[in-house]
Amino acid sequence: HGKPLHIISKNLSAPRGITTNSRDEFVVADMRQGTVSALTLELTTGREVENTIVPGFNKPYLVSSNNLGLVAVSERGFDGGCCVKVLADDWTVLRVLGLKPGLGPTLFNPWGVCIDSEGNVLVADWGQTHSVIHYPVQGTAYAVVTEGLSSPRGLAVFQDCHLAVADSLHNCIKVFWYK
Protein backbone atom coordinates (compact mmCIF):
# COMPACT_ATOMS: atom_id res chain seq x y z
CA HIS A 1 0.00 0.00 0.00
CA GLY A 2 1.20 3.48 -0.84
CA LYS A 3 2.38 5.38 2.22
CA PRO A 4 2.35 9.17 1.82
CA LEU A 5 5.83 10.59 2.30
CA HIS A 6 5.57 14.26 1.47
CA ILE A 7 3.48 16.76 -0.49
CA ILE A 8 5.33 19.16 -2.77
CA SER A 9 3.42 22.29 -3.69
CA LYS A 10 6.03 25.05 -3.44
CA ASN A 11 6.56 26.70 -6.85
CA LEU A 12 3.69 24.72 -8.43
CA SER A 13 0.31 26.16 -9.39
CA ALA A 14 -1.04 23.91 -12.17
CA PRO A 15 1.17 20.82 -12.52
CA ARG A 16 0.26 18.59 -15.45
CA GLY A 17 2.80 16.14 -16.83
CA ILE A 18 5.44 14.38 -14.77
CA THR A 19 8.29 12.03 -15.62
CA THR A 20 11.74 11.14 -14.35
CA ASN A 21 14.92 11.92 -16.24
CA SER A 22 18.32 10.25 -16.56
CA ARG A 23 19.51 12.01 -13.37
CA ASP A 24 16.59 10.60 -11.32
CA GLU A 25 14.97 14.01 -11.06
CA PHE A 26 11.22 14.42 -11.28
CA VAL A 27 10.42 16.68 -14.24
CA VAL A 28 7.10 18.51 -13.88
CA ALA A 29 5.31 20.77 -16.38
CA ASP A 30 3.36 23.62 -14.76
CA MET A 31 0.79 24.95 -17.21
CA ARG A 32 -0.18 28.12 -15.34
CA GLN A 33 3.35 29.29 -14.59
CA GLY A 34 4.76 28.32 -18.00
CA THR A 35 7.63 26.40 -16.41
CA VAL A 36 9.24 23.00 -16.25
CA SER A 37 10.74 22.05 -12.90
CA ALA A 38 13.36 19.40 -12.19
CA LEU A 39 12.98 18.22 -8.60
CA THR A 40 15.61 16.25 -6.72
CA LEU A 41 14.01 14.47 -3.78
CA GLU A 42 15.43 12.87 -0.67
CA LEU A 43 14.61 9.20 -1.22
CA THR A 44 13.48 8.16 2.25
CA THR A 45 11.32 11.19 3.08
CA GLY A 46 10.31 12.51 -0.36
CA ARG A 47 11.33 16.01 0.68
CA GLU A 48 12.63 18.40 -1.93
CA VAL A 49 16.43 18.72 -1.96
CA GLU A 50 16.78 20.88 -5.06
CA ASN A 51 14.44 22.49 -7.58
CA THR A 52 15.61 23.76 -10.95
CA ILE A 53 12.91 25.91 -12.57
CA VAL A 54 13.08 26.38 -16.34
CA PRO A 55 10.85 29.27 -17.56
CA GLY A 56 9.74 30.25 -21.05
CA PHE A 57 7.00 27.78 -21.97
CA ASN A 58 3.54 28.51 -23.36
CA LYS A 59 1.16 26.29 -21.36
CA PRO A 60 3.45 23.25 -20.99
CA TYR A 61 1.33 20.16 -20.59
CA LEU A 62 3.02 16.76 -20.79
CA VAL A 63 6.64 15.68 -20.51
CA SER A 64 8.69 12.65 -21.50
CA SER A 65 12.37 11.80 -21.21
CA ASN A 66 14.84 9.24 -22.49
CA ASN A 67 18.12 7.64 -21.44
CA LEU A 68 20.16 10.30 -23.32
CA GLY A 69 18.93 13.00 -20.94
CA LEU A 70 16.60 14.56 -23.51
CA VAL A 71 13.21 15.86 -22.36
CA ALA A 72 10.23 16.52 -24.64
CA VAL A 73 7.61 19.04 -23.46
CA SER A 74 4.26 19.50 -25.20
CA GLU A 75 2.87 23.05 -25.24
CA ARG A 76 -0.84 23.69 -25.59
CA GLY A 77 -0.70 27.41 -26.25
CA PHE A 78 -3.99 27.71 -28.11
CA ASP A 79 -3.01 31.16 -29.38
CA GLY A 80 -0.86 29.62 -32.12
CA GLY A 81 1.89 28.18 -29.95
CA CYS A 82 1.07 24.47 -30.03
CA CYS A 83 4.37 22.65 -30.30
CA VAL A 84 6.78 20.27 -28.63
CA LYS A 85 10.13 21.48 -27.35
CA VAL A 86 13.04 19.08 -26.99
CA LEU A 87 15.45 20.03 -24.22
CA ALA A 88 19.03 18.94 -23.60
CA ASP A 89 20.10 17.74 -20.16
CA ASP A 90 21.26 21.31 -19.38
CA TRP A 91 17.67 22.55 -20.14
CA THR A 92 18.54 24.39 -23.36
CA VAL A 93 16.03 24.06 -26.20
CA LEU A 94 17.44 21.87 -28.96
CA ARG A 95 14.40 21.66 -31.25
CA VAL A 96 10.91 23.13 -31.56
CA LEU A 97 8.54 20.75 -33.34
CA GLY A 98 5.15 21.25 -34.95
CA LEU A 99 5.18 24.99 -35.70
CA LYS A 100 6.60 25.14 -39.23
CA PRO A 101 4.60 23.35 -41.94
CA GLY A 102 7.69 22.90 -44.14
CA LEU A 103 9.21 20.57 -41.55
CA GLY A 104 6.23 18.23 -41.36
CA PRO A 105 2.70 18.37 -39.97
CA THR A 106 1.74 21.36 -37.84
CA LEU A 107 0.44 20.52 -34.37
CA PHE A 108 -3.05 21.73 -33.50
CA ASN A 109 -3.78 20.20 -30.11
CA PRO A 110 -0.93 18.02 -28.82
CA TRP A 111 -1.77 15.65 -25.99
CA GLY A 112 0.56 12.71 -25.49
CA VAL A 113 4.28 12.97 -26.12
CA CYS A 114 7.12 10.48 -25.87
CA ILE A 115 10.75 10.37 -26.90
CA ASP A 116 12.59 7.19 -27.84
CA SER A 117 16.17 6.21 -27.02
CA GLU A 118 17.47 7.81 -30.25
CA GLY A 119 15.75 11.16 -29.67
CA ASN A 120 12.84 10.66 -32.10
CA VAL A 121 9.69 12.33 -30.77
CA LEU A 122 6.15 11.03 -31.15
CA VAL A 123 3.15 13.27 -30.50
CA ALA A 124 -0.55 12.43 -30.19
CA ASP A 125 -2.32 15.36 -31.85
CA TRP A 126 -6.01 15.88 -31.28
CA GLY A 127 -6.13 18.20 -34.27
CA GLN A 128 -8.30 17.70 -37.30
CA THR A 129 -7.16 14.13 -37.95
CA HIS A 130 -6.58 12.60 -34.49
CA SER A 131 -3.18 11.29 -35.47
CA VAL A 132 0.26 10.45 -34.12
CA ILE A 133 3.12 12.41 -35.64
CA HIS A 134 6.72 11.11 -35.76
CA TYR A 135 9.43 13.77 -35.58
CA PRO A 136 12.69 11.99 -36.44
CA VAL A 137 16.02 13.29 -35.20
CA GLN A 138 16.86 14.11 -38.82
CA GLY A 139 14.49 14.57 -41.73
CA THR A 140 10.90 15.63 -42.18
CA ALA A 141 8.16 14.71 -39.74
CA TYR A 142 5.27 12.54 -40.86
CA ALA A 143 2.10 11.00 -39.50
CA VAL A 144 2.64 7.39 -38.42
CA VAL A 145 -0.97 6.78 -37.37
CA THR A 146 -3.74 8.53 -39.27
CA GLU A 147 -6.72 6.19 -38.93
CA GLY A 148 -8.53 4.34 -36.20
CA LEU A 149 -7.96 6.82 -33.37
CA SER A 150 -10.84 8.68 -31.80
CA SER A 151 -9.04 10.54 -29.04
CA PRO A 152 -5.33 9.79 -28.76
CA ARG A 153 -4.02 10.95 -25.39
CA GLY A 154 -1.17 9.00 -23.84
CA LEU A 155 1.82 7.54 -25.69
CA ALA A 156 4.55 5.10 -24.78
CA VAL A 157 7.37 3.60 -26.84
CA PHE A 158 8.74 0.15 -26.15
CA GLN A 159 11.50 -1.82 -27.82
CA ASP A 160 12.16 1.36 -29.84
CA CYS A 161 9.82 0.25 -32.61
CA HIS A 162 6.42 -0.24 -30.98
CA LEU A 163 4.08 2.55 -29.99
CA ALA A 164 1.23 2.20 -27.49
CA VAL A 165 -1.53 4.81 -27.78
CA ALA A 166 -4.22 5.40 -25.16
CA ASP A 167 -7.41 6.05 -27.17
CA SER A 168 -9.71 7.48 -24.51
CA LEU A 169 -13.00 7.57 -26.42
CA HIS A 170 -12.53 4.00 -27.65
CA ASN A 171 -11.58 2.98 -24.07
CA CYS A 172 -8.53 1.01 -25.15
CA ILE A 173 -4.80 0.92 -25.81
CA LYS A 174 -3.77 0.45 -29.44
CA VAL A 175 -0.31 -0.83 -30.35
CA PHE A 176 1.46 0.17 -33.60
CA TRP A 177 4.77 -0.45 -35.30
CA TYR A 178 6.30 2.97 -35.96
CA LYS A 179 9.70 2.33 -37.59
Side-chain angles (χ1 to χ4, degrees):
H1 299 290
K3 175 185 169 193
L5 292 178
H6 190 67
I7 296 173
I8 300 168
S9 59
K10 179 183 171 188
N11 298 320
L12 296 172
S13 63
R16 293 298 188 261
I18 187 168
T19 190
T20 56
N21 65 12
S22 61
R23 293 187 300 250
D24 288 331
E25 297 169 315
F26 286 91
V27 180
V28 182
D30 191 309
M31 193 165 137
R32 188 173 298 135
Q33 292 188 24
T35 61
V36 170
S37 296
L39 303 168
T40 303
L41 304 181
E42 201 281 319
L43 296 180
T44 57
T45 65
R47 294 194 186 280
E48 181 181 321
V49 175
E50 186 178 344
N51 185 0
T52 302
I53 299 174
V54 184
F57 294 90
N58 184 3
K59 297 183 179 151
Y61 204 74
L62 297 177
V63 290
S64 178
S65 66
N66 71 2
N67 58 333
L68 300 174
L70 301 176
V71 175
V73 181
S74 65
E75 291 188 354
R76 299 191 39 145
F78 296 114
D79 52 356
C82 290
C83 67
V84 171
K85 290 182 178 171
V86 179
L87 311 175
D89 61 358
D90 65 356
W91 306 112
T92 58
V93 176
L94 298 174
R95 300 164 53 199
V96 178
L97 311 172
L99 285 177
K100 297 182 180 179
L103 301 175
T106 301
L107 294 173
F108 292 97
N109 195 355
W111 275 93
V113 62
C114 64
I115 186 166
D116 70 15
S117 65
E118 298 169 359
N120 300 301
V121 177
L122 293 119
V123 182
D125 190 25
W126 245 45
Q128 300 159 337
T129 61
H130 298 277
S131 58
V132 176
I133 311 299
H134 178 244
Y135 292 91
V137 174
Q138 295 180 345
T140 303
Y142 56 92
V144 291
V145 181
T146 58
E147 296 178 354
L149 296 175
S150 179
S151 57
R153 300 239 183 187
L155 296 178
V157 171
F158 58 102
Q159 297 178 350
D160 271 350
C161 62
H162 294 91
L163 172 69
V165 181
D167 193 341
S168 64
L169 288 180
H170 284 157
N171 300 315
C172 64
I173 305 296
K174 297 178 179 177
V175 180
F176 301 89
W177 177 274
Y178 79 94
K179 285 190 175 181

